[in-house]
């Protein structure tokens, strides 16, 4: 490591959680604390993270054993970047649940932008939040 590294920013928050409802609160509290410590609105971040982790718990593991949800938050310049990844079937429309579209709209309204990445191993939702100067 170079001498600039400690000044550049705190280490990222990294959680690996079981895809179950209890994980929603764990992720929400951890990321809200991280946001508070990095000049971000903890309420908006907490709500968006709750929604994203809930979506993964409800949708990503339909018809199979719950897997893992990875939560990562990092302070990057004037943004807080939070990613929620699952190793499930992916975020696909579920005829039994009307909630997914609403969840993504809510997350979009709370953050400065979302990006959904899918590969053969699941889905990653990336959210960016503004940091105070």
């Amino acid at each position: 490591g170079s001498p600039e590294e400690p000044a550049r920013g705190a280490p990222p928050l990294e959680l690996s959680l079981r895809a179950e409802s209890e994980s929603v609160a764990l992720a929400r509290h951890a990321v809200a604390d991280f946001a508070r410590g990095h000049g971000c609105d903890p309420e908006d971040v907490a709500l968006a993270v709750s929604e994203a982790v809930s979506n993964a718990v409800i949708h990503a593991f339909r018809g199979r054993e719950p897997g893992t949800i990875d939560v990562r938050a990092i302070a990057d310049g004037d943004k807080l970047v939070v990613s929620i990844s699952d190793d499930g079937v992916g975020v696909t429309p579920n005829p039994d649940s009307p909630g997914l579209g609403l969840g993504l709209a809510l997350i979009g309204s709370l953050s400065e932008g979302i990006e959904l990445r899918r590969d053969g191993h699941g889905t990653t939702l990336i959210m960016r939040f503004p940091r105070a100067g």
Side-chain angles (χ1 to χ4, degrees), residues 86-91 117-124:
D86 66 67
D87 57 0
V89 295
V91 179
R117 292 184 188 165
R118 293 158 90 166
D119 59 25
H121 309 291
T123 305
T124 299

Side-chain angles (χ1 to χ4, degrees), residues 57-103:
V57 169
I58 294 165
H59 299 281
F61 301 98
R62 277 198 310 279
R64 51 168 282 201
E65 278 298 299
T68 303
I69 299 171
D70 291 315
V71 178
R72 184 178 161 93
I74 188 165
D76 183 17
D78 63 350
K79 302 276 183 281
L80 181 72
V81 181
V82 180
S83 64
I84 312 288
S85 303
D86 66 67
D87 57 0
V89 295
V91 179
T92 54
N94 178 359
D96 304 325
S97 170
L100 182 62
L102 179 67

Side-chain angles (χ1 to χ4, degrees), residues 13 15 17 24-36 49 71 73:
L13 169 72
L15 300 172
L17 304 168
V24 176
L26 290 171
R28 181 177 66 229
H29 292 301
V31 178
D33 287 345
F34 188 86
R36 195 175 291 113
V49 166
V71 178

